[in-house]
Amino acid sequence: MNKETSIYLDAVRFIAALFVFIDHLSGQRLTGGFLWQLAPAGGEAVIVFFILSGFVIGYVTDTRERDFRTYAVNRMARILSVAVPALALTFVLDSIGFFENPGLYLSDRTFLVPSRLVQYSASALFVHQLWGINITPGTILAYWSLGYEVWYYLIFAVAVFAPPKYRWIGAAAAVLIAGPKIALLLPIWLAGVGLYRLCSKHVPPPSVGWAMFAGSILLWVSFEVWCARYGRLFIAPRYLLPRIEIPQDYIVACLFAANLYGFRAISHIFRPVFLPVERIIRWMAGATFSLYLIHQPVTQIIVSISPWSTESWPHRALVTAGTLVVVFLFAEFTERKKNVWRHWIEDSFAAIRAAINRGRES
């Protein structure tokens, strides 16, 4: 992966997180519908994240995470460094916000259903989306996708690192445990892995790259216009597949995959544009996971204590700017510190191995 493509990936994932933030920010009860026109892109941004996640996993397992232990430690550090603090922060903020403005929280029926103990326990174990389960931990609405992504990490690890004779049966067993709704989006995540391998082995000519890059954007805009006129494409029963829009998710995945593959062919052209702003893009991207996870609980507590009406511009400015400030502060102590978590996890694995060896010797 060259530097220009890496910068592009960072820029895209931060923009995608912003769209998820805007999607939730635009609710009537929060900001009176501020930026509601952009709200539909929030769900599509999650599909972009799945492609990016698979692409990154394809890259790291090809370059530096070539054994299970390294892979497991790095994946755990990446997820837990933000997920655990995010759950803790959400619990605290929701408790304060519920005391200040219970009506704002009770307007979302998922806030107290099921019990908070079940919500947070299932979410901490990443079993909150298995089969027909659809549990949200408090107001951290975006957490649902971790119930997919963590299982994709696991399925991929079994298929790649397990002993050869157990790989496919083990991966199939993991898919079966995860359930149908997680399995239905697995091809999208795997497409990201395949896209990385394609980009690393075959780069199309610049003319084809421009056609794919620009054409995918044009088709995406046309698709959004079509959806705005005729409605989103949803062909899935809600009781089985909450939050999944089929075939819309696959259309978005194909368009973004084409865009990324096309960009790889013309990435060198963007060097004069990207290199001067590389540090800014990298810094913003370093808060992407934090923005994605905690924006809703932060937004909601700010709304609960705001002195202005939800449709006033001072309120909208306070909620938007206040949330972003808290997110970037949170990122300084979480995802920007994932190396600290990596050391903790490695030390824990070493302690477990030492305990097992002592048990065998005794």
Side-chain angles (χ1 to χ4, degrees), residues 226-240:
W226 189 93
C227 288
R229 178 172 298 181
Y230 300 106
R232 317 303 292 183
L233 297 175
F234 182 85
I235 310 175
R238 282 286 180 181
Y239 69 87
L240 179 62

Side-chain angles (χ1 to χ4, degrees), residues 9-316:
L9 293 179
D10 277 348
V12 167
R13 66 191 181 99
F14 182 75
I15 292 171
L18 275 180
F19 274 113
V20 176
F21 170 42
I22 292 171
D23 180 8
H24 296 147
L25 180 73
S26 66
Q28 282 290 330
R29 65 194 177 95
L30 299 180
T31 59
F34 180 49
L35 297 177
W36 64 268
Q37 300 90 340
L38 300 178
E44 298 177 9
V46 178
I47 301 303
V48 169
F49 276 127
F50 282 156
I51 291 283
L52 287 175
S53 175
F55 191 94
V56 169
I57 292 301
Y59 168 70
V60 297
T61 53
D62 183 47
T63 56
R64 58 177 181 265
E65 297 179 14
R66 294 178 174 271
D67 61 273
F68 176 73
R69 183 180 177 279
T70 304
Y71 174 88
V73 168
N74 287 337
R75 293 311 100 212
M76 291 174 69
R78 171 61 176 162
I79 294 294
L80 297 180
S81 63
V82 182
V84 172
L87 288 174
L89 179 66
T90 300
F91 184 86
V92 172
L93 294 183
D94 284 358
S95 299
I96 297 172
F98 183 74
F99 178 80
E100 292 291 332
N101 189 349
L104 179 65
Y105 288 79
L106 291 176
S107 61
D108 185 353
R109 67 178 183 84
T110 65
F111 180 66
L112 294 176
V113 181
S115 72
R116 299 182 79 186
L117 176 61
V118 173
Q119 288 181 8
Y120 285 87
S121 298
S123 300
L125 296 172
F126 303 104
V127 297
H128 58 292
Q129 292 293 323
L130 300 184
W131 283 80
I133 302 173
N134 182 29
I135 293 176
T136 300
T139 58
I140 189 167
L141 303 182
Y143 199 92
W144 71 270
S145 66
L146 294 192
Y148 287 63
E149 188 162 1
V150 168
W151 282 90
Y152 296 154
Y153 289 164
L154 176 61
I155 293 165
F156 182 81
V158 173
V160 172
F161 298 114
K165 64 180 180 179
Y166 297 121
R167 286 179 182 175
W168 297 115
I169 190 171
V175 171
L176 182 61
I177 294 171
K181 63 183 180 182
I182 295 177
L184 272 175
L185 292 188
L186 176 59
I188 291 177
W189 189 89
L190 290 174
V193 178
L195 181 62
Y196 164 74
R197 293 180 176 176
L198 178 63
C199 288
S200 64
K201 294 179 179 179
H202 179 266
V203 178
S207 58
V208 176
W210 272 115
M212 296 185 72
F213 178 73
S216 62
I217 295 174
L218 179 61
L219 287 173
W220 207 330
V221 171
S222 301
F223 175 67
E224 293 301 319
V225 172
W226 189 93
C227 288
R229 178 172 298 181
Y230 300 106
R232 317 303 292 183
L233 297 175
F234 182 85
I235 310 175
R238 282 286 180 181
Y239 69 87
L240 179 62
L241 306 171
R243 293 191 174 95
I244 298 177
E245 296 175 324
I246 307 291
Q248 176 178 298
D249 293 339
Y250 277 82
I251 293 174
V252 171
C254 289
L255 290 173
F256 179 60
N259 179 269
L260 184 52
Y261 187 51
F263 180 86
R264 178 62 185 88
I266 58 173
S267 57
H268 59 283
I269 297 174
F270 290 83
R271 175 179 287 267
V273 178
F274 280 172
L275 291 188
V277 294
E278 178 184 3
R279 293 184 63 181
I280 297 174
I281 292 175
R282 302 289 196 194
W283 181 79
M284 291 190 300
T288 296
F289 198 9
S290 298
L291 174 61
Y292 178 72
L293 277 190
I294 71 161
H295 67 268
Q296 183 71 12
V298 175
T299 295
Q300 198 140 318
I301 194 171
I302 294 176
V303 171
S304 70
I305 61 177
S306 171
W308 297 290
S309 66
T310 56
E311 296 183 358
S312 68
W313 285 105
H315 171 85
R316 291 172 172 175

